Every structure is written in structure tokens, then in C-alpha cells.
Amino acid sequence: MKTILTLALCVAGGLSASAAITVDRQDLQHALIYPGLAEIDLNCDGHLDLIYSGEVREATSGRVVEDAEGNEVQINFNTFTMIWNPATGSYDFAEFPYYFGNKPYFAVYDWNGDGYTDFFCAGEASMSQSEARFGFFINDGKGNFSRQEITVVNEDGDVIEPFDPKCADLGDFNSDGLMDLVVVGWKNDANGERRNYNMVLLNQGDYKFLATNTELLIYGDNGYEFALSLLSATDLNNDVYADFLVQGKIDNASDSDKPVKDGKVMARTFVAALNLGAEADGETILYDLGLAESPAHHYGHGGILVADFNNDGVPDIFVGGESPDDASNGWAYNWQLLQGKITSDGVTYTDVTSSQAFSGKDIRPLNDNSPVRAIDYNGDGLYDLFIPGWCETMLDGTDNTQAGWFFPNNGGQFPTYERIPGSSECGVFFTEDGVSGTRNYGFLGQSWDGNYFSDDTDVVTGRMLLFTKNPYEKAARPDAPENLAVEVNDHDVTLSWEPAASSQSNVTYEYYIRHAASGKYYHGVPAFVDGDKDGVRTTLAQGRAFMARNLNLVGLPDGDYEWGVQTVNAGLEGSIFAKGEKFTVGEGDAAVEMISGTANVVETQYYDLMGRRLNVAPENGIVIVKNILSNGTAKVQKRIL
């Protein structure tokens, strides 16, 4: 596949508008900086909550842990939950039982197929540091989470231990219907050895993953030692396969292991990895699009967003950050909007930054998790932008300070802005305050924004947890997709649908597949299925089928299945699920004694029709096959050989 990269220069513009977003309330006790966060329905009641972790404002808010000598000490970090309480009309705060440190990444999904939304967490802290613990966290449906170890093996079957990446995101990279992970980062192990964790992890079931594409993010003789990194899994070209984008500081000591552009050694990098599909052995084929060479730059310490900003049915890229080594005009921070287009030659990008109000503006979030966000905030169905940060020269001409900027989308352009409360070392989140679909802007971070905060008032400066109220009316809930169809070819399945007549071109989709007999999900979904909450999202994210309208899934196990798909609009609200026809793979569930999800087969036994066990399977005839699975269950089938 050939990649064409183009650059278009437009006339700059951008006039300030009066601010419409004001401070609602502030929380100092649960405030922090350098956060990692996720909007997630923690207690499965239909209301979005928040989990976040970072460095606290007040020492008394820090986590109490045991040091190496067994003494209790209070550290300067904590992990909190913020759970909506319908009875009080407010949020209840609590320490999460597990601690994650600064800048954790949360990959939110129903990982065990029981219908409750779980998450995988990775982060900067080491597993051995201050009792930080990463891995899977499984929800019991009542908001209680138990930690599940992850097992990662290489192509030889050897366990990679310890396994401790800095960033993680999720997507189905090999189109088998199971959610996979992409991870990046490096850390020193207990012996001081540097370990790189730049790879795609293919889901093998039972929380076991196969490490693939370990050679992709390599320059020179070594893998990138990513620090202060950002990661986003997405589908850039609507071909069903999950791609990913990553940026970050390169900590490799040798210049020969760092990227070079125009003869300069880059201390940072930006990689967009396109997925060409799976080989016969199931491993995905990924390659670097080379966007950092043109029309983008090598970035770090910034932000990455992928959304269809101009509403043409193709994802665009908003990217930026710090890159003094790659600056031709002396900027310290830079932001770009790259419009995507899909052609017969592949996916191409045009730089349309010069016509945007953020063009050339030095806005520095100084974080590496969720500092910038895209969401339909004003209810017009288009993705708007939120960019907070420290500014050397303010957009509105005032003195430099921490600030926030809201850029409303005007037909795919961002020619104006509104100044809103802002900060640096921050993370942006959106609450619902008990009303599904309402998006109220908030942030965790550090601010001396004199427009909104003053130590002489009740709304003070420094590290804060800040809430605002959305002054706009929310968009209508999207309608469900139409004309669902399914085709089965042996163990490969194609699911397809058409957009609702009322849908914008920028919508994404979420789908589920579950066993008809047991109700256990083969492909889970971060949303409620059936009942009065059908389609209500349990996280704030685009649908993980992204913008595709058909899915070609390979290698589904025998079974009778139900499936459905929902529309997710730019406000990240989901429709009800449209339900497709049930389908059968292989021999279905007719001869299955027990549905076992995706557990691994540890032993296979053969029996004749009289129930007598055979040492080996016969070459022909009818045989009973009993697969003993790693979770203690069994799957029995009658087969004709």
C-alpha cells in the first residue's frame, strides 16, 4: 500500500468570543496533578463515574502504604473514585483499593464477558514502587474490583516477566472478535535491566496474551525507550483493522537509536502505525506511515486525538506537543489538524492547521494521558476541541498563565475560541451529573488562571479538581443502525449494517457477540445490552468498531450466537442496540455441555458412541471429542471424521 502525504496552506484566522463556560465548583481535598483518568460506570447503575490517579494537593490526602520495613507511611500520591449518588445528587469520593501512581492508562472494556465493565491499567510507576499494581481489574457488577494478573508470552511460548508497560489501549488487531492490547514504554526491572514493552498483544483468552510486532518501534539497534508517552488505538482508514498512534520522549542514550529528520537527531517521535491485516499465523502486519516526516512532526509531551472533525466519514488526526529538535520556526509547542482522505493508494493527510484558531499558539498541557479532548460539547453533532495548558503568549493577549481553551467546530474548521477555566499538568474529563448524555467539562491539574481563580476568594489557585456546567443543550440520542446482516463461512463471520438515516457521517459503532445459550459475551461491550438501559454507555469513548460498517471476523469457535450494534455519536452517547439475526458457527451449541468463553484447551479426550475412552482419535467414523479447558470446564462435541 502506497502512502501519499500532502500539505495545504490556508489563510490564518481566529477571533475570540465571550466565554460561556464558567466555574461551577472546586474540590481541593481530592485534587491532584499528573493524572491518569477514565470515565467509567463503576457500579453499573447507568451513571458515568470517574477513576483517577496522580500526585495530591495536600499531604493528608496521600495514600497510606507500607514501606520496605513494614512501617505505614503516607505518600504524595493517591487513586480516587468519584461515584454519582442519585440520592444526594452529587459525587461520593473514595480511595480505590488499588494504587496506580502518576499518569496511569485505563483500557475500559468488558474483559471477561460477564456484561460488567472492567479495565486494564498500565502506568509510569513500577509494580514494586509504593505498592502500585497494574493489570486487569474485574468488576463484580456492584463496583467491587478484583485484580487479575496478566500473562504475556513471546512467540516461543516463554513468559515475559515482569510485564510492566507505561501506556495501553485496546482494539481488535487481528479481527478474531477478541479485544487485544497495544502497549508501549520501558522500565528498569528489579535488577536494573532496561526492558522495552513496545508491542501488540493478541488476546489468547483467560488473560493470556501473545506478544507480537515487537520489532516495529525500533530505530538503530534498539527499541524506543518511550518516556512521557501517549498512545491511541484507532482505525485510521476504515478497513476494520485496528491501527495505533504513539508519541513520546525517546530516552535511548545513544543518538544512533533515535530518529533522524533533515539531518537532526530527534529526542522525541510520533508514529502512526497502520495495520495491513493478519498473516496466516494470525499475527498482524503493521508499518509506520511516516507522518513525522511529513506533514506532521516528531512530538512529545502533547496530545493525540482521532475523530472525523470535518464530518466526511474519514477519521482525521489532531496532534501536537513539544519538539524543539524538529522546530523550523522556533516554536516550543505546536498543534496540527490533519484531515484524512481514503483513496485507492491508501490513506492520505492534508495539513489544514493554518486556518485554525490554535495555529501557532504555544499551549502546553504538560501531561501525557488525557490533556486534550474531542467531544460534541455544544450539541450540534460535530466534534469540538478542548485544549488547556500553560501559555507563553495568551490567545486573548493577557499575561501568560495556565488557561483553558474551547474551540467549537464550524463545519470542520476551528476559526474561533472561548477562554475557559484551565490548567497545566492536567487531565480533562467530562461528567454527566446523573443525566445521560450531558457533558460537563472538568479538569484535574494545576492552575493560576487569574480569570477564574484567586486565593482571595473561595475559588483558589494551585492543584485542583474543577467542575463546570455545560451551557448548551445536548444533542438528541442517536438512532440505531439499520439493515443488519450476517454471513457465516465455516468459522469466519461477516457482520454488516447501514447507518441510521438520521446519523451524521462522523459516527462510530460498538458491537457485541454473545453465546445464545449462556448469555456470556464472546465480544463484550462497554454498554448495557437489553432492558431499560439498553445501549447506555458505561464509558466515554468512541465505539471500538470505529467507523467501519462491516466486520470480517475470523476463527470464531463453534457456537450459537446473538449479536447487536449501536451508533455512538460525537457526544459519545450510544443508541439502543439494533439486533441482528442469530447465527451458528460450526456445529453450534447442540453438542456442547458447557459454554466456556475463551479459555484454553489443556487436554483433549476421545470416546466412542458407547462412552468408552479411546487412546487416539479414529481416522474415520463418529467420535465424541471432550476438550478439558484451563478454567476447569469442558466442551463436548460429536464429530464425523
Side-chain angles (χ1 to χ4, degrees), residues 487-494 553-559 561 583-588:
E487 294 183 11
V488 180
N489 181 14
D490 193 17
H491 286 77
D492 297 343
V493 176
T494 298
L553 306 175
V554 297
L556 268 65
D558 288 4
Y561 295 98
F583 62 92
T584 297
V585 175
E587 298 184 24

Side-chain angles (χ1 to χ4, degrees), residues 7-38:
L7 177 67
L9 298 178
C10 305
V11 178
L15 298 176
S16 177
S18 59
I21 304 172
T22 58
V23 174
D24 178 47
R25 62 193 187 279
Q26 187 183 44
D27 185 306
L28 303 183
Q29 181 181 355
H30 303 101
L32 47 77
I33 60 172
Y34 312 125
L37 60 88

Side-chain angles (χ1 to χ4, degrees), residues 528-586:
F528 292 94
V529 178
D530 299 328
D532 58 359
K533 294 195 290 288
D534 182 52
V536 173
R537 304 279 289 163
T538 54
T539 190
L540 202 61
Q542 295 178 347
R544 287 293 172 170
F546 301 107
M547 302 185 76
R549 298 175 186 175
N550 62 80
L551 297 170
N552 301 310
L553 306 175
V554 297
L556 268 65
D558 288 4
D560 296 322
Y561 295 98
E562 304 168 336
W563 71 287
V565 61
Q566 72 172 166
T567 307
V568 181
N569 65 13
L572 305 182
E573 184 175 13
S575 71
I576 63 172
F577 278 95
K579 310 297 174 67
E581 292 184 0
K582 295 181 180 179
F583 62 92
T584 297
V585 175

Side-chain angles (χ1 to χ4, degrees), residues 449-633:
D449 186 347
N451 272 28
Y452 300 94
F453 314 114
S454 170
D455 290 339
D456 296 330
T457 69
D458 292 333
V459 187
V460 301
T461 59
R463 302 179 185 188
M464 67 183 71
L465 169 58
L466 190 282
F467 301 86
T468 72
K469 285 289 188 182
N470 191 332
Y472 301 97
E473 293 185 7
K474 71 172 184 174
R477 187 179 186 186
D479 294 322
E482 302 171 349
N483 300 325
L484 277 65
V486 58
E487 294 183 11
V488 180
N489 181 14
D490 193 17
H491 286 77
D492 297 343
V493 176
T494 298
L495 307 176
S496 62
W497 56 87
E498 296 178 2
S502 60
S503 286
Q504 301 270 13
S505 298
N506 61 14
V507 299
T508 58
Y509 299 97
E510 194 84 65
Y511 77 102
Y512 71 86
I513 299 175
R514 65 182 173 191
H515 292 276
S518 69
K520 185 179 179 67
Y521 291 85
Y522 179 78
H523 180 95
V525 59
F528 292 94
V529 178
D530 299 328
D532 58 359
K533 294 195 290 288
D534 182 52
V536 173
R537 304 279 289 163
T538 54
T539 190
L540 202 61
Q542 295 178 347
R544 287 293 172 170
F546 301 107
M547 302 185 76
R549 298 175 186 175
N550 62 80
L551 297 170
N552 301 310
L553 306 175
V554 297
L556 268 65
D558 288 4
D560 296 322
Y561 295 98
E562 304 168 336
W563 71 287
V565 61
Q566 72 172 166
T567 307
V568 181
N569 65 13
L572 305 182
E573 184 175 13
S575 71
I576 63 172
F577 278 95
K579 310 297 174 67
E581 292 184 0
K582 295 181 180 179
F583 62 92
T584 297
V585 175
E587 298 184 24
D589 289 342
V592 179
E593 286 187 348
M594 191 174 297
I595 301 296
S596 59
T598 59
N600 297 322
V601 176
V602 296
E603 182 183 1
T604 299
Q605 300 172 354
Y606 302 96
Y607 298 83
D608 64 19
L609 292 179
M610 300 296 294
R612 294 170 297 196
R613 186 171 178 179
L614 307 174
N615 291 327
V616 295
E619 293 184 0
N620 52 60
I622 300 175
V623 66
I624 304 297
V625 180
K626 182 178 182 181
N627 287 322
I628 310 299
L629 304 169
S630 57
N631 61 5
T633 63

Side-chain angles (χ1 to χ4, degrees), residues 379-416:
D380 66 357
L382 303 177
Y383 283 96
D384 305 309
L385 277 174
F386 286 81
I387 315 176
W390 184 85
C391 298
E392 182 174 319
T393 302
M394 301 292 285
L395 277 69
D396 56 5
T398 57
D399 292 338
N400 57 353
T401 184
Q402 281 86 6
W405 310 103
F406 168 57
F407 298 89
N409 191 332
N410 183 12
Q413 296 288 314
F414 299 90
T416 63

Side-chain angles (χ1 to χ4, degrees), residues 130-152:
S130 302
E131 298 187 349
R133 293 291 182 269
F134 298 118
F136 285 99
F137 293 84
I138 305 304
N139 194 344
D140 69 354
K142 300 178 182 178
N144 303 308
F145 287 80
S146 57
R147 180 173 177 266
Q148 170 68 48
E149 293 276 359
I150 180 175
T151 300
V152 178

